[in-house]
Amino acid sequence: MSWLVLIVSGVLETVWAAALSASRGFSRLQPSLLFLVSLALSMGGLAYALRDIPIGTGYVVWVGIGAIGTAGYGMVALGDPVSAARIVCLVLIIAGVIGLKLLH
């Protein structure tokens, strides 16, 4: 159960990062509220998962999911640059996250 909560919390990290950007410095109410709710749920889920998962593994998996999700969202929805080098770097992050999970 802890791994599932950790994965969902990592996805919520992507949500709060995107909402933070959309809030335009907290000047827009709905994205600002989405940011606050998703941040609280993401952190709460991380705290829950770390009861059973070592902090180093759990935190890296959480950040990795959030980083990959946020970068992917930026490239797909916001027009962030897409290049082979950027994709390779994201694949390396995924490989590291999977490696840590397998070594857990």
Side-chain angles (χ1 to χ4, degrees):
M1 182 65 156
S2 293
W3 282 102
L4 178 61
V5 171
L6 183 64
I7 291 166
V8 171
S9 297
V11 171
L12 285 169
E13 186 182 2
T14 297
V15 172
W16 69 250
L20 180 61
S21 176
S23 77
R24 306 277 192 252
F26 299 114
S27 65
R28 297 175 58 210
L29 181 61
Q30 286 183 327
S32 298
L33 292 175
L34 180 59
F35 164 76
L36 291 172
V37 170
S38 58
L39 176 67
L41 291 172
S42 180
M43 291 290 177
L46 175 63
Y48 174 85
L50 291 181
R51 295 187 311 175
D52 298 320
I53 299 169
I55 188 169
T57 302
Y59 185 73
V60 168
V61 169
W62 180 74
V63 169
I65 292 169
I68 296 297
T70 303
Y73 175 77
M75 287 188 277
V76 170
L78 302 178
D80 288 357
V82 179
S83 68
R86 287 174 61 99
I87 299 299
V88 167
C89 290
L90 293 173
V91 168
L92 290 172
I93 293 171
I94 293 168
V97 168
I98 291 170
L100 284 174
K101 166 59 173 112
L102 293 175
L103 294 172
H104 168 70

